[in-house]
Amino acid sequence: MTYIKRDLENKIVSLSDEYSCILITGPRQVGKTTCLRQLMDDNREYVTLDDMEERSLAKRDPALFFQLHTTPIMIDEVQYAPELFSYIKIAIDNGADPGTFWLTGSQSFKLMSLAQESLAGRVAILHMSGLSQHEIFGSGENQPFTLELSVLKEREKNYSPADINGIYERIWKGSMPGIISGKYSDRDVFYSSYLQTYIDRDVKDQIQLTDSLLFSDFVRAAACRAGQMLNVHDIAQDVGVSDDTAKRWLKVLEKSDVIFFLRPYSNNLLKRTVKTPKMYFFDTGLVAYLTRYSSAEILANGAINGAILENYVVSELLKSYHNDAKECLLWYYRDKSSNEIDMVIESDGMLHPLEIKRSVNPGSELLNAFNLLDKASVPRGTGAILCMRPKLSAVDADNFIVPIWMI
């Protein structure tokens, strides 16, 4: 198996020189542990709370846990023992050295609330997703996606071109390090095992689940609607559960970083915008598996080819920010007349509209929707069409055409 260098590595190292505690959140099997163990030296002890003996000790007697394990320390799946956080806080307040505690966990909402309650101002929190296009195919330093021309030209040098078939191959294969690195060759077996492990270890901890197959069907019903406006009732009807149950289960998927939502952009001058979010999966390989597409070629011509392409673009754009430890102000726009803009980034006091198209030669009429933002209280900046064009281009000075392989 080949280790794939993660873009977050530089941030982890630099922040470990400043903060006593680093917390890395993200879904299961995206490489949090592997990355940190790659960066560890021989002085740091490693403990995983997937080990039931260690977990029991940490919960029952956290003081003894820290007496038995020396620092600096890496604690994996720390969400299983929230009792440790108050002891970590005491150690930090007593002058623990920078980099003393490295923590990982796969339930980010729970971990974020624990960290904010117990370690506010004492912990650097980073989010790790699956592998990005840049990590798999690129070179040089990762940069958050932006429409500055100089940055786009730099991205064009550092990223690996791909045509429409290559993009759908990336979408179908997904972003899990276990598959991309070659550790596991059978994609279907990997995702089947991944889903079962996720349900057994994470879902059953959060809800009183009596039927694992029913929850699997629920995740599949959600995957069929990736990249679309959320309709809780339709998903609930597909699997025969109540709307309230579907809402709770979607919250579980969001808490464990399987899905995320893009909220609609609105302000007080845009009164006719919709309120419903759009739902996306962090890993398009999981979506392709759940929706039963057996190859990238079939997926590229399937019913969800547009929605899953949009899912891929949105998740890759967010990864470019997460991997630089930055937040991205990202929305979509839709009004009650069904006028829509796929993505809107707010940056440096400007709104940047983005349209996603499967075409190699998208028409300039797509830019007409961007005018909808002219009524907003925030001024409109440079826009772009993200498409299958092989090279960076432009419609005019204010609107670029950006290949999807550059995101």
Side-chain angles (χ1 to χ4, degrees):
M1 183 183 79
T2 305
Y3 175 73
I4 299 170
K5 187 179 186 301
R6 305 308 298 262
D7 287 332
L8 263 180
E9 286 182 18
N10 292 341
K11 283 291 179 184
I12 294 168
V13 171
S14 63
L15 290 171
S16 289
D17 290 335
E18 301 173 9
Y19 288 84
S20 299
C21 184
I22 305 289
L23 170 60
I24 300 185
T25 70
R28 283 193 171 273
Q29 297 188 37
V30 295
K32 303 183 297 293
T33 304
T34 304
C35 174
L36 288 180
R37 297 200 78 169
Q38 186 76 15
L39 296 173
M40 276 172 54
D41 58 30
D42 294 337
N43 294 326
R44 187 176 298 274
E45 188 171 353
Y46 170 74
V47 183
T48 176
L49 298 189
D50 270 336
D51 183 319
M52 296 305 294
E53 291 294 324
E54 294 288 4
R55 186 188 306 184
S56 176
L57 175 61
K59 290 181 70 65
R60 186 180 67 253
D61 195 340
L64 180 59
F65 177 90
F66 281 118
Q67 287 172 23
L68 291 172
H69 297 296
T70 56
T71 56
I73 188 171
M74 174 184 165
I75 305 173
D76 216 357
E77 302 297 354
V78 71
Q79 78 272 4
Y80 290 132
E83 295 83 359
L84 296 177
F85 279 85
S86 59
Y87 285 81
I88 294 172
K89 175 183 181 292
I90 291 168
I92 295 171
D93 289 347
N94 287 336
D97 291 335
T100 297
F101 301 100
W102 284 1
L103 313 176
T104 78
S106 51
Q107 294 174 13
S108 69
F109 274 31
K110 182 178 179 180
L111 278 168
M112 291 285 280
S113 65
L114 283 169
Q116 286 163 358
E117 286 171 20
S118 305
L119 301 174
R122 300 171 177 86
V123 59
I125 302 173
L126 302 173
H127 183 273
M128 182 178 284
S129 301
L131 292 162
S132 67
Q133 282 197 126
H134 179 257
E135 288 170 321
I136 302 170
F137 304 106
S139 60
E141 294 296 316
N142 170 69
Q143 293 189 67
F145 182 82
T146 174
L147 291 179
E148 290 180 33
L149 184 56
S150 60
V151 177
L152 287 173
K153 290 170 78 172
E154 192 65 27
R155 292 179 87 86
E156 192 171 29
K157 294 178 192 172
N158 291 340
Y159 283 63
S160 235
D163 61 13
I164 188 168
N165 296 323
I167 291 295
Y168 275 95
E169 183 68 32
R170 295 178 184 186
I171 291 170
W172 181 82
K173 200 167 186 180
S175 60
M176 289 298 192
I179 294 289
I180 303 300
S181 68
K183 182 178 181 180
Y184 304 108
S185 58
D186 192 316
R187 172 185 162 279
D188 288 353
V189 170
F190 173 84
Y191 277 115
S192 174
S193 303
Y194 173 83
L195 193 60
Q196 193 56 53
T197 302
Y198 163 64
I199 292 171
D200 289 344
R201 292 191 181 180
D202 290 342
V203 174
K204 286 180 179 177
D205 271 1
Q206 298 183 59
I207 57 177
Q208 299 301 311
L209 186 65
T210 56
D211 188 345
S212 295
L213 288 177
L214 186 64
F215 192 85
S216 293
D217 289 342
F218 177 81
V219 182
R220 183 169 291 108
C224 290
R225 294 164 174 81
Q228 300 175 30
M229 289 176 68
L230 178 64
N231 189 322
V232 175
H233 182 67
D234 279 1
I235 298 173
Q237 277 199 318
D238 270 7
V239 292
V241 298
S242 69
D243 288 8
D244 284 344
T245 296
K247 286 176 185 175
R248 284 192 294 110
W249 287 4
L250 284 169
K251 184 61 71 175
V252 169
L253 291 176
E254 186 184 15
K255 285 180 177 179
S256 44
D257 280 332
V258 174
I259 65 172
F260 64 96
F261 295 104
L262 208 58
R263 309 289 171 185
Y265 180 77
S266 183
N267 64 38
N268 58 354
L269 298 181
L270 298 170
K271 301 189 188 311
R272 290 181 49 79
T273 52
V274 299
K275 306 299 182 188
T276 307
K278 294 178 83 169
M279 179 180 64
Y280 300 91
F281 277 63
F282 274 106
D283 180 47
T284 54
L286 179 60
V287 176
Y289 165 76
L290 288 167
T291 50
R292 299 291 191 258
Y293 283 93
S294 59
S295 72
E297 293 78 18
I298 295 172
L299 176 62
N301 295 292
I304 67 166
N305 62 14
I308 202 169
L309 177 67
E310 180 177 323
N311 192 137
Y312 182 72
V313 170
V314 174
S315 63
E316 285 297 321
L317 194 151
L318 284 177
K319 284 178 198 175
S320 77
Y321 280 81
H322 290 161
N323 290 345
D324 202 48
K326 288 184 169 61
E327 290 297 318
C328 179
L329 295 177
L330 183 65
W331 297 276
Y332 81 101
Y333 175 93
R334 186 181 175 91
D335 61 29
K336 292 175 182 176
S337 300
S338 298
N339 299 306
E340 187 167 354
I341 301 171
D342 291 332
M343 290 188 288
V344 179
I345 298 177
E346 184 172 354
S347 177
D348 294 327
M350 305 284 277
L351 297 177
H352 301 280
L354 303 171
E355 196 68 24
I356 303 163
K357 288 299 165 191
R358 197 167 172 268
S359 168
V360 175
N361 294 302
S364 59
E365 70 276 1
L366 294 170
L367 303 178
N368 294 337
F370 294 177
N371 298 331
L372 296 164
L373 296 178
D374 290 342
K375 298 176 184 176
S377 55
V378 180
R380 174 160 64 103
T382 309
I385 300 171
L386 311 176
C387 64
M388 298 297 181
R389 182 73 62 88
K391 289 187 173 294
L392 178 64
S393 183
V395 177
D396 53 41
D398 296 319
N399 296 285
F400 299 121
I401 299 176
V402 180
I404 286 171
W405 58 259
M406 281 176 51
I407 299 167

